[in-house]
Amino acid sequence: MAFKEDLKTKSAYIEDLLKQYMPKEEGYQKTIFEAMNYSLSSGGKRLRPILTLESAKIIGGDVKEVIPFCVAIEMIHTYSLIHDDLPAMDNDDFRRGKPTNHKVFGDGMATLAGDALLNYAFEIMLKESLGKENSDVRLKAIYEIARGAGIYGMIGGQVVDIESENKSIEKEKLDFIHMNKTAAMIIGCMRAGAIMGNACEDDLQNITKYAKNIGLAFQIVDDILDIVGDEKALGKPVGSDIENHKSTYPSLIGLDESKKVATDLIKEAKDSIRKISGESRFLEDLADYIISRDH
Amino acid sequence: MAFKEDLKTKSAYIEDLLKQYMPKEEGYQKTIFEAMNYSLSSGGKRLRPILTLESAKIIGGDVKEVIPFCVAIEMIHTYSLIHDDLPAMDNDDFRRGKPTNHKVFGDGMATLAGDALLNYAFEIMLKESLGKENSDVRLKAIYEIARGAGIYGMIGGQVVDIESENKSIEKEKLDFIHMNKTAAMIIGCMRAGAIMGNACEDDLQNITKYAKNIGLAFQIVDDILDIVGDEKALGKPVGSDIENHKSTYPSLIGLDESKKVATDLIKEAKDSIRKISGESRFLEDLADYIISRDH
C-alpha cells in the first residue's frame, strides 16, 4: 500500500513537470499546441519518466538535472500512442476513457501532433543542455533515449508487432517484439538517468539488466492478463489475443511456464538493482508491482 | 551553366553520403528500413544538406565533421514529405514521378517510416557526436536543427498552412507560413553548419540572414510560378492557387510587387553572404538560381 501511495506521489510530480514544459497555447499554430497538450494531459502512470528519475536517484545523481529528460521521455511515449491510435494503425477511438487525439483534432493534425511531440522532446533535451558543463555526458544520455525510441528499439518492435497481427509467429520473433516495443525504451530511459548521474560501468550494467527484465516481464504479464485478467480492472475485454490468433507467451509456452518466466525475470531484476549501493526499495517494489498488477 | 553542373555534383555527393547512412535492409524490422530507404532514394536537389555543407565551408569549418548533420537533415526533410503525402494530409499518390511512400507500403507503415526517419536523424547526429571534443558545439548545432524542424519552425508553419487551405488570410499570416514552413529549417541547417565551423557571432548573423531570405524568396517564387510558370517545366498544373482561392503573395500584393520583394530578398541575401570572408561564389549563385528557376 505504501508503494502505491508512493507511486501516486511520483506520478503527480511528473504531471507537474509536464505542465511546466507544455507549449503555451497561443500564436498562429495554436492548434498543434492544443493537440499536443491534450494527449500529454491524458494521464497514465508516467512509468517511464519515473524510472528515469529513480535511475538517476539510485546512482546518487542530481535529480533536478534529469527533469527535462523525464518530460521528453513522456512526450516520446505520448507521440507513439497518438500515432498507434490512428486509423492507419490500430484505429482506436478511445484511450484512458477519452477520445483519441485524431477523434478530437482530425487525422492530419494528430499525425502532426505526434511528429511535434517527438521533435519537441529532442528540442527540450538539447535546449536544456546548452551551456552546461557535462555536454559529453548529456549527448550520451540523449543518444540512449533516441536509440531506445528508434528503429533498433521501439519503432522496430512496433513494425514487427503490426506485421505479426493475425499470424502465428515463433518465440524468437515474439521476444524481439517484447524486447524492442517495450523494453528498449525502458532501457533507454534508465540508462539515460544513470548516465546523467555518472554511473560506473557496473552500475550501468545492473540498471540495464533491471530495465530489460521489467520491460520483458511487463509484456508477458500483459499476455497473461489477456487470459486470466478481470475485464473490469483491465478496462478492456479479455480473450482478444486468442480471438485474433495472436502468438503470445501463454500460447507458445503455456500459462504456467509464462508465469514462471515472468517471475524469474522479476527476481533477476531485483537481484540486479540490489547490487547498486543506493536505496533500491522503490525499484524493487516496482518490479513486484509489475508482476502482481491486475491491469 | 557552371553553377548547374556544380549543383549536380554536390547533389550526387549527398546521394553517396545518404547511401552510406541508410539502414541495412535486414532483420525482423526489414520493412521499415525498406520504407525509409525508398523515400530517401527518391531524388530531389538535396538543397538543405548542400546548404549545411556550404555553410560550414564558407566559415572555414571541417566539412567532414558536418556529414552526419547533412544526412540527418535530409532524413528530416524526407520524413516531412512522407507525412505530408499521407491521405490524412495532402493525399498525394505521386512524388517526383514515383508512387508516394504510403502507396507502396501502406498508410500505417508510411506513418512509421516518417517517425523512423525523424528519430533516426537525431540518433545519427548524436551517435556520431559521442566521444568528440566539441560536445558543447555539437549540442548547439543539433539544437538548431531540432528547433528549425519543430513547432516553432517547420511543423508550426505546416499546421498554419493546412488550417489556411481554401481560406483567405492576411499577409502577416502568410509571412508566418513562409517563415516557418520553409525558411526556419534552412536557417536551422545553415546555422548548424556554421556553428560546427565555430562561426563568430557576426558571421552567424550573416548566414542566418542569407538563409532566411532565400527561404522566404523560395516561397514567393513558388507562388509566382503557380501563375506564370510553365506546366511542363514545373511538372504540375499551374493556376491551382487561384482555383483553390489560396492567399498568395501575388493575390495579396500583386505580381509585380511580389517579384520586387523576391528580388530584394535575394539581393540582401547575397549582400549578407559576401560579408563573410570565405569564398561566397556558390552561395551567391544559389541565391540567384532560386529566383530565376522555372520549376
Side-chain angles (χ1 to χ4, degrees), chain A residues 10-11 14 45-54 282:
Chain A
K10 288 180 202 287
S11 303
I14 302 289
K45 280 189 279 293
R46 315 301 191 186
L47 215 54
R48 289 158 189 78
I50 291 174
L51 285 168
T52 313
L53 270 186
E54 292 301 317
F282 179 80

Side-chain angles (χ1 to χ4, degrees), chain A residues 8 15 36 59 73 76 90 93 118 123 145 183 219 285:
Chain A
K8 249 189 211 167
E15 295 292 334
M36 294 163 77
I59 293 298
I73 283 160
I76 292 174
D90 289 351
D93 292 351
L118 174 57
E123 213 174 319
I145 292 165
Q219 282 296 326
D285 287 349

Side-chain angles (χ1 to χ4, degrees), chain B residues 192-225:
Chain B
I195 287 168
M196 283 295 289
N198 295 313
C200 67
E201 193 50 38
D202 270 2
D203 284 352
L204 199 55
Q205 286 309 321
N206 283 317
I207 291 266
T208 307
K209 176 109 191 207
Y210 172 89
K212 180 183 163 184
N213 280 27
I214 64 166
L216 293 175
F218 189 93
Q219 283 296 325
I220 297 174
V221 171
D222 244 21
D223 286 355
I224 293 173
L225 284 175

Side-chain angles (χ1 to χ4, degrees), chain A residues 29 31 83 115 119 146 163, chain B residues 29 31 83 115 119 146 151 163:
Chain A
Q29 71 275 54
T31 314
H83 281 189
D115 297 346
N119 195 91
E163 291 193 320
Chain B
Q29 72 275 53
T31 314
H83 281 189
D115 297 345
N119 194 90
I151 50 179
E163 292 194 319

Side-chain angles (χ1 to χ4, degrees), chain A residues 275-289:
Chain A
K275 284 183 192 149
I276 301 171
S277 64
E279 170 56 50
S280 61
R281 169 57 48 207
F282 179 80
L283 287 171
E284 287 184 61
D285 287 349
L286 186 68
D288 282 331
Y289 167 71

